[in-house]
Amino acid sequence: MAHLSARADAAYQNDYHHKLRGRLWEALEGTVYGERHDDGEPTGFVYSNPFPPYDMEEGDDRKLLVASPHEELLANVAADLLDDPELNIGEMPFHVDDVTSLEPDVGEPGTRGTIETGTGLLVRIPPWRCDEYDIDHPGGDTAVFWRPEHSMAPLRKQLEDNLDQKHDRFAHDHLPGPSDVEGDLFDGYELIKTFAVPVTVTEGQEMTYVLSKWEFSYTVRDDHHRRHLNLALDCGLGERNSLGLGFVNLNEDSVIPASEATRERVARRDD
């Protein structure tokens, strides 16, 4: 977590993605992780927006979270931010006051909790799957942005497939991925909102993405499920994580440890 202070009054910019991504890739330049830039594969890191997302006055505090399954990658980012603490995200000028480490964990088997999307979730349904879900496709090779009218089935499938790709790249080969085990990644899916936002994909190329925000509830089934959920915290969910999309937070206030969850089930049976 980077602890920031505003260096001047500034309006909050919702199109922060491209500028912040550029600074993070600069921090990884010359490292083995920098070689992943534009290789078409999951990058292995994701980041939050500078939050809280409100207009700023000089001296106001903000925070920025960067997540990755690789501690060395995070160490490179942290060192760069501390060595060069002037952080300009578009027209939002910050100073990096400090960097601290966090180690979120969804908990041992039996634990219940909630994972929240900190930034918009990008889920696109490929054209060859549209017929399967009775989704009208405009033709061509264009993927369709997930919307509530498409039902939950394609969203669950795309999230699982995407996390499979990240598991294949960043987890141990001999361990099962999300699609190799029985059971859904999440117990419940509560949609908060869908919204469209312009995103600069590359310099000079802007696209409008349809995104969604969620609260996902979970009950950790076993150690494999725990790994998969923690991988989502480290890498993000959905697509375009290197643009900061799909960053998710563990709602620590919602976590019920396995021992307490067991006592609750016993109490309900007694009632």
Side-chain angles (χ1 to χ4, degrees):
M1 176 185 288
H3 302 263
L4 315 175
S5 56
R7 301 197 330 269
D9 296 355
Y12 192 86
Q13 289 185 259
N14 289 309
D15 56 348
Y16 63 88
H17 310 83
H18 179 61
K19 296 296 184 182
L20 182 50
R21 175 181 64 172
R23 174 60 188 273
L24 296 178
W25 278 121
E26 285 178 10
L28 299 174
E29 189 174 351
T31 72
V32 64
Y33 306 105
E35 297 172 2
R36 296 175 181 170
H37 194 282
D38 294 330
D39 69 357
E41 297 292 331
T43 57
F45 71 88
V46 65
Y47 48 91
S48 72
N49 56 319
F51 65 92
Y54 306 122
D55 293 349
M56 293 161 281
E57 296 182 356
E58 183 178 355
D60 281 355
D61 294 329
R62 292 294 184 271
K63 291 180 173 60
L64 171 69
L65 290 165
V66 182
S68 173
H70 302 296
E71 290 186 10
E72 187 179 357
L73 183 153
L74 294 173
N76 278 287
V77 171
D80 182 82
L81 292 176
L82 292 172
D83 289 344
D84 182 10
E86 185 175 303
L87 177 62
N88 298 312
I89 306 175
E91 300 301 318
M92 297 186 291
F94 295 106
H95 182 272
V96 180
D97 299 325
D98 194 13
V99 175
T100 55
S101 62
L102 303 172
E103 296 184 8
D105 189 316
V106 296
E108 64 183 14
T111 302
R112 299 205 311 264
T114 301
I115 288 175
E116 303 170 335
T117 53
T119 59
L121 183 68
L122 174 62
V123 175
R124 292 182 289 192
I125 305 162
W128 58 87
R129 282 200 172 134
C130 286
D131 284 345
E132 179 182 348
Y133 299 112
D134 294 324
I135 296 172
D136 290 333
H137 188 269
D141 297 328
T142 304
V144 175
F145 293 110
W146 182 88
R147 292 176 170 85
E149 59 265 29
H150 296 151
S151 81
M152 293 302 301
L155 181 129
R156 286 195 295 264
K157 176 63 175 173
Q158 293 306 122
L159 289 183
E160 183 180 88
D161 285 356
N162 180 270
L163 196 59
D164 266 335
Q165 294 178 27
K166 294 163 184 169
H167 185 275
D168 289 345
R169 190 168 198 189
F170 306 121
H172 299 292
D173 292 340
H174 66 282
L175 296 174
S179 65
D180 297 322
V181 299
E182 293 185 1
D184 290 333
L185 195 61
F186 300 110
D187 297 337
Y189 299 74
E190 182 178 347
L191 177 63
I192 306 303
K193 65 176 180 177
T194 57
F195 58 102
V197 62
V199 177
T200 301
V201 180
T202 59
E203 197 66 45
Q205 182 186 11
E206 184 178 278
M207 297 184 65
T208 298
Y209 286 152
V210 177
L211 309 177
S212 52
K213 283 200 170 185
W214 297 83
E215 287 185 359
F216 300 119
S217 59
Y218 67 85
T219 303
V220 182
R221 294 188 301 275
D222 52 33
D223 288 333
H224 293 312
H225 189 211
R226 181 181 188 177
R227 282 192 304 100
H228 301 156
L229 292 170
N230 282 332
L231 182 65
L233 293 177
D234 287 340
C235 294
L237 288 170
E239 302 178 58
R240 294 289 190 172
N241 304 130
S242 67
L243 279 169
L245 303 180
F247 178 84
V248 292
N249 288 306
L250 176 63
N251 182 345
E252 295 185 352
D253 291 338
S254 74
V255 175
I256 302 176
S259 57
E260 293 183 21
T262 300
R263 285 198 295 270
E264 282 189 5
R265 288 195 296 271
V266 171
R268 284 197 296 270
R269 285 200 298 270
D270 292 344
D271 290 342

